[in-house]
Amino acid sequence: MAMTKPYQHFKDFYPFYLSQHQNKTCRRLHFIGSSLIIVMLVYIIINTAWLLLWTLPVIGYGFAWLGHFYFEKNKPATFRYPLYSLLGDWVMFKDILLGKIKL
């Protein structure tokens, strides 16, 4: 599916987002990256290590883009829909935790 449709609402975007994450390894890498972001954020807050905030996008996007480029073989939606894609990452993370999406 080409990324040509301009999405006006997240509820319309999310099915497209999920269609770009059909590969199990890609979803797993997203989940690992999101989990590490939470762990790192807790570490940063507890230790007031604010200088490490820059690591959060590196961790998150690093795992996600690895999944897209090497396993899913598509271009991340982040490039066209950065805010919806970020929200999609966390909604998918929640859906995986709740068992709505399988790893």
Side-chain angles (χ1 to χ4, degrees):
M1 175 182 258
M3 289 192 296
T4 57
K5 181 180 176 185
Y7 294 99
Q8 300 298 318
H9 304 283
F10 179 74
K11 69 178 176 80
D12 299 324
F13 171 80
Y14 191 57
F16 165 73
Y17 177 86
L18 291 177
S19 77
Q20 301 299 294
H21 297 84
Q22 294 181 18
N23 181 279
K24 190 181 292 190
T25 302
C26 181
R27 288 193 308 271
R28 287 177 177 168
L29 286 167
H30 274 68
F31 189 82
I32 291 168
S34 296
S35 298
L36 289 175
I37 286 173
I38 293 168
V39 169
M40 188 64 161
L41 187 57
V42 169
Y43 174 86
I44 289 168
I45 291 169
I46 289 172
N47 294 290
T48 62
W50 310 119
L51 290 176
L52 293 177
L53 283 171
W54 69 270
T55 64
L56 299 178
V58 172
I59 292 168
Y61 288 122
F63 278 88
W65 291 357
L66 180 70
H68 283 285
F69 294 128
Y70 292 103
F71 297 99
E72 196 71 57
K73 307 278 192 221
N74 63 16
K75 186 164 71 167
T78 304
F79 297 133
R80 178 120 185 216
Y81 302 101
L83 296 177
Y84 280 169
S85 180
L86 179 62
L87 181 56
D89 288 342
W90 292 106
V91 172
M92 184 171 72
F93 182 80
K94 172 201 59 100
D95 287 346
I96 290 170
L97 285 176
L98 295 176
K100 293 180 180 178
I101 296 174
K102 296 192 184 235
L103 285 181

